[in-house]
């Protein structure tokens, strides 16, 4: 299978807005994704949950493939699953453009990241609020994106955790000091207010579910996050 390698822009100052499908109306996914694209979404964030790594089950590769086949937008797939190495081929085949795996999951992190890139996808590494930055430092030269969770993963609509801001800044400083090349993404409780704090702390990719898909005006909500 020939993959069109979607190289993401390495400008870490422009904001990337990635609505989370978790907050969409699952009864009409094709229309919801089209609505997000028309509202100005840059990427679409797909929160995959296995009911084991997190205490919730969302959707799997079939939904990723459906979105890939029915809409043309960069698919930022967040695997909140215990065995990302085992399921990786199915998400690659489904059409993921970027795959983020958790450092806390049960796998050989470096090998999983290598396989993601080998398949032509961008590689992301995610860490939970309680996980120290030291846990991901050995891998920062092997990723295109660092996902700093700003809630405990498992559910949308949770309150933003401001204690993660220091970690975001530390990650940005390491990137600059070591001349590394990874976007910093935040996920959980992101709206125009918290997005501003995250951006000025060093993050540029904003995952937002409730504040975009459930806003009265999705386009205004995305613009407010982009300009906050
Ligand atoms: C947590 C999920 C949520 C979701 C966004 O496991 O990853 O963070 O993407 O949720 P909101 O934007 O509704 O807080
Ligand atoms: Zn997510």
């Amino acid at each position: 299978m020939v993959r069109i390698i979607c190289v993401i822009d390495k400008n870490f100052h422009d904001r990337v807005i990635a609505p989370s499908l978790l907050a969409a109306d699952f009864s009409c996914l094709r229309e919801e994704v089209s609505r997000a694209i028309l509202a100005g979404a840059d990427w679409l964030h797909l929160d995959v949950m296995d009911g084991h790594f997190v205490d919730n089950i969302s959707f799997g590769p079939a939904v990723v493939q459906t979105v890939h086949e029915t809409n043309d937008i960069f698919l930022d797939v967040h695997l909140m699953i215990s065995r990302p190495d085992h399921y990786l081929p199915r998400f690659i085949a489904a059409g993921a453009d970027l795959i983020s795996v958790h450092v806390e999951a049960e796998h050989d992190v470096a090998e999983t990241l290598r396989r993601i890139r080998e398949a032509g996808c961008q590689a992301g590494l995610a860490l939970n609020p309680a996980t120290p930055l030291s846990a991901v430092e050995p891998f920062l030269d092997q990723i295109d994106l660092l996902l700093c969770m700003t809630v405990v993963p498992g559910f949308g609509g949770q309150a933003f955790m401001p204690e993660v801001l220091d970690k975001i800044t530390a990650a940005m400083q390491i990137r600059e000091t070591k001349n590394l090349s990874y976007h910093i993404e935040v996920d959980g409780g992101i709206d125009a207010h918290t997005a501003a704090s995250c951006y000025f702390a060093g993050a540029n990719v904003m995952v937002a579910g409730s504040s975009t898909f459930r806003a009265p005006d999705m386009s205004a909500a995305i613009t407010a996050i982009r300009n906050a």
Side-chain angles (χ1 to χ4, degrees), residues 54-71:
V54 294
D55 187 28
N56 194 6
I57 299 174
S58 59
F59 47 76
V63 169
V64 176
Q65 181 158 347
T66 298
V67 172
H68 173 65
E69 290 171 350
T70 55
N71 282 281

Side-chain angles (χ1 to χ4, degrees), residues 20 22 45 47 49 78 80 149 151 153-158 187-190 207-210:
S20 167
L22 195 66
H45 187 81
D47 282 308
M49 302 177 186
H78 176 194
M80 288 167 273
M149 289 303 296
V151 295
F155 297 89
Q158 300 179 78
D187 179 358
I190 301 300
V207 174
S210 310

Side-chain angles (χ1 to χ4, degrees), residues 8 16-21 42-48 59 64 67 73-79 95-101 122-125 145 147 185-187 205-208:
I8 51 181
V16 173
I17 313 302
S20 167
L21 195 69
D42 299 300
W43 297 359
L44 188 73
H45 187 81
L46 294 105
D47 282 308
V48 177
F59 47 76
V64 176
V67 172
I73 186 169
F74 186 90
L75 301 186
D76 168 29
V77 176
H78 176 194
L79 298 184
D97 295 294
L98 188 154
I99 298 175
S100 289
V101 296
Q122 305 291 310
L125 188 56
L145 178 135
L147 168 43
E185 181 176 70
V186 286
D187 179 358
V205 183
M206 309 289 167
V207 174

Side-chain angles (χ1 to χ4, degrees), residues 35-193:
R35 182 163 73 93
I37 295 170
L38 289 172
D42 299 300
W43 297 359
L44 188 73
H45 187 81
L46 294 105
D47 282 308
V48 177
M49 302 177 186
D50 65 357
H52 184 256
F53 183 74
V54 294
D55 187 28
N56 194 6
I57 299 174
S58 59
F59 47 76
V63 169
V64 176
Q65 181 158 347
T66 298
V67 172
H68 173 65
E69 290 171 350
T70 55
N71 282 281
D72 182 17
I73 186 169
F74 186 90
L75 301 186
D76 168 29
V77 176
H78 176 194
L79 298 184
M80 288 167 273
I81 67 176
S82 294
R83 290 291 317 280
D85 53 332
H86 176 73
Y87 290 97
L88 191 58
R90 297 181 225 185
F91 286 101
I92 291 166
D97 295 294
L98 188 154
I99 298 175
S100 289
V101 296
H102 270 264
V103 70
E104 303 93 351
E106 306 151 24
H107 63 122
D108 178 335
V109 173
E111 175 61 8
T112 304
L113 294 171
R114 187 193 63 76
R115 289 171 58 202
I116 293 171
R117 281 184 156 178
E118 183 181 61
C121 289
Q122 305 291 310
L125 188 56
L127 69 167
N128 291 333
T131 302
L133 194 61
S134 56
V136 298
E137 275 200 76
F139 311 106
L140 294 177
D141 61 347
Q142 303 158 47
I143 60 173
D144 303 292
L145 178 135
L146 181 69
L147 168 43
C148 296
M149 289 303 296
T150 44
V151 295
V152 174
F155 297 89
Q158 300 179 78
F160 175 78
M161 296 171 69
E163 57 268 38
V164 180
L165 290 172
D166 289 343
K167 188 191 298 184
I168 294 166
T169 300
M172 182 265 291
Q173 289 169 340
I174 291 172
R175 182 183 65 201
E176 306 308 317
T177 308
K178 295 187 175 178
N179 195 28
L180 297 175
S181 176
Y182 50 83
H183 286 274
I184 299 173
E185 181 176 70
V186 286
D187 179 358
I190 301 300
D191 57 23
H193 172 65

